[in-house]
Each structure stands twice: as C-alpha cells, then as structure tokens.
Amino acid sequence: MINTIIFDFGDIFINLDKQASINSLKKLGLSQWNEDLHQLNLHFEKGQISRENFLLGIQKHVPNASIEEILNAWNAILLDFPLYRLEFLQKLSKKYRLFLLSNTDSIHIETFEQENGISFYSDFYQCFEKVYFSFEMGMRKPDAEIFNYLIKKYDLSEKRTLFVDDKKENTDAALSLGLQVWNLQVGEEDMIDLFSRKDLQL
C-alpha cells in the first residue's frame, strides 16, 4: 500500500499554457526557441544563474524588448490554480506523507505566490512534509539524483511511494528507480481522479 505521494506542481495543481511564453516572446521579436535559450532555462531552473542574467540572456534574442516585457512574456505560462485541487490535497495530507517536487524557477514561484496571496500558498505548502523546487536544490527531474535525494533523506520505500507528474520522461525515471508512478494526461485527467486509478494500491 502506498504511504507517500510526491507531486509535480505545474499542470498537476496550477494550470499551465506551455506555449504561451514562447508565443509571447515571438511577438517581441523572437525567431524561434533555440538550444541557447533551452540551456539558459535549464541553468535557471537549477539556480545556476541569477534572475537578472536569465532575463538579460533572453533579451539578447529579443533586443528590442524591455526586461519588463520579457518578464511578462515569461510568466504567460502561468494560469489558474483551482481551489478544488487544494481542498482535495488537504484531505490527502491527513492520510499520506506528501512532497512537492517541481522543475521551476524563482520568477515563476514568486509570481505564483504574488498572484495567489499568502493565505492560499501557505495553505498549499502546509499540505506537504517538504516543498522542493529545482532552482533551490540545484537538481532537476528527470535526473535520478533528485529522486534519490528524497528517497534517502526521508527513508522512503520506493514501492510504497507514488510519483505524479505530467511528463513521461519524469515518470519513466521514477519508475526505473522502483517508484509507483502516474503519468497524468493533462486535459484528460485531473489529480482529484487519484482514487479512481485501479492500478494504484491506495
């Protein structure tokens, strides 16, 4: 029986429009999302570069855009966080050990907190034994080290731990380490469907 659940954040709790940021940057003059920008994003998600250097790095590709315009474009990915998901999570927290494990950056988390307010995000964070963001850890999914860090630090039993994420590369990595997984299909499934999953020993 599962006693621990590790949740991703984006498109599990907060809804995302993953194309919106790129579309917004294209309106500012970006020709395409290239390898340089991809690597810049990876470094930012691992906390290896500052917010300022990240935004300046993007500005090199859209030289006519202001930092504020770039910031707004970068945050275009963030949509709403439905209250019913928080309420479901609060009930879950009474029965399971819960962790949040998200590939994200300081800009998106700061924006999420500002837009939702301290009461909401505090209620959300309090559901978890610990909240982990990649930019604070210096690690990101799907690298095995980030899963092994949680397993060892909290003495988790892999076969009794469920990992929920919308990206298959992340759930595949967790599965290879022996965790139970749910690769949630965005738009077809919702995290509140958890107990309707017949393949999970909940």
Side-chain angles (χ1 to χ4, degrees):
M1 295 290 285
I2 288 164
N3 62 9
T4 303
I5 307 175
I6 303 171
F7 284 105
D8 178 33
F9 181 36
D11 267 340
I12 303 297
F13 294 106
I14 188 171
N15 291 320
L16 302 179
D17 181 347
K18 291 175 179 171
Q19 194 59 34
S21 292
I22 295 173
N23 290 343
S24 296
L25 287 170
K26 284 182 177 177
K27 288 177 184 175
L28 296 176
L30 180 70
S31 57
Q32 64 175 2
W33 185 263
N34 55 35
E35 183 60 23
D36 182 38
L37 287 167
H38 176 66
Q39 291 300 321
L40 187 72
N41 183 36
L42 292 184
H43 288 308
F44 192 40
E45 281 194 349
K46 285 188 174 183
Q48 295 169 340
I49 57 172
S50 68
R51 169 195 178 106
E52 290 72 26
N53 286 339
F54 172 70
L55 293 171
L56 288 170
I58 293 181
Q59 194 176 41
K60 289 177 184 175
H61 296 267
V62 282
N64 295 323
S66 69
I67 291 295
E68 186 176 354
E69 286 174 325
I70 292 167
L71 188 60
N72 289 335
W74 189 244
N75 282 325
I77 187 174
L78 302 174
L79 301 178
D80 62 313
F81 185 142
L83 181 60
Y84 70 82
R85 289 182 185 154
L86 174 59
E87 291 170 343
F88 182 77
L89 185 69
Q90 288 170 326
K91 292 174 185 174
L92 271 188
S93 68
K94 294 176 172 62
K95 186 176 179 183
Y96 299 94
R97 295 180 73 184
L98 302 180
F99 296 89
L100 189 70
L101 183 64
S102 173
N103 286 349
T104 190
D105 60 63
S106 56
I107 290 175
H108 284 158
I109 293 305
E110 184 179 304
T111 302
F112 157 69
E113 292 178 354
Q114 287 177 347
E115 291 187 348
N116 288 276
I118 189 168
S119 177
F120 185 90
Y121 77 73
S122 294
D123 285 349
F124 175 55
Y125 293 158
Q126 284 170 10
C127 293
F128 301 98
E129 194 167 322
K130 182 70 176 177
V131 170
Y132 282 109
F133 297 130
S134 60
F135 74 91
E136 295 175 329
M137 299 178 75
M139 298 180 272
R140 70 188 298 282
K141 302 170 291 186
D143 296 342
E145 63 175 345
I146 199 167
F147 296 105
N148 286 329
Y149 177 83
L150 264 73
I151 290 166
K152 290 174 183 174
K153 184 173 178 64
Y154 297 97
D155 194 25
L156 304 180
S157 165
E158 291 91 339
K159 66 175 183 285
R160 300 190 68 191
T161 299
L162 172 65
F163 174 62
V164 182
D165 197 296
D166 63 302
K167 290 188 176 174
K168 191 171 186 297
E169 63 182 17
N170 295 338
T171 54
D172 283 351
L175 186 63
S176 72
L177 296 171
L179 279 73
Q180 305 289 315
V181 300
W182 175 16
N183 177 211
L184 187 146
Q185 303 301 301
V186 179
E188 299 174 21
E189 301 175 304
D190 196 294
M191 58 85 63
I192 65 166
D193 300 330
L194 182 66
F195 292 107
S196 65
R197 299 283 303 186
K198 304 302 182 188
D199 56 327
L200 303 175
Q201 295 182 318
L202 295 157

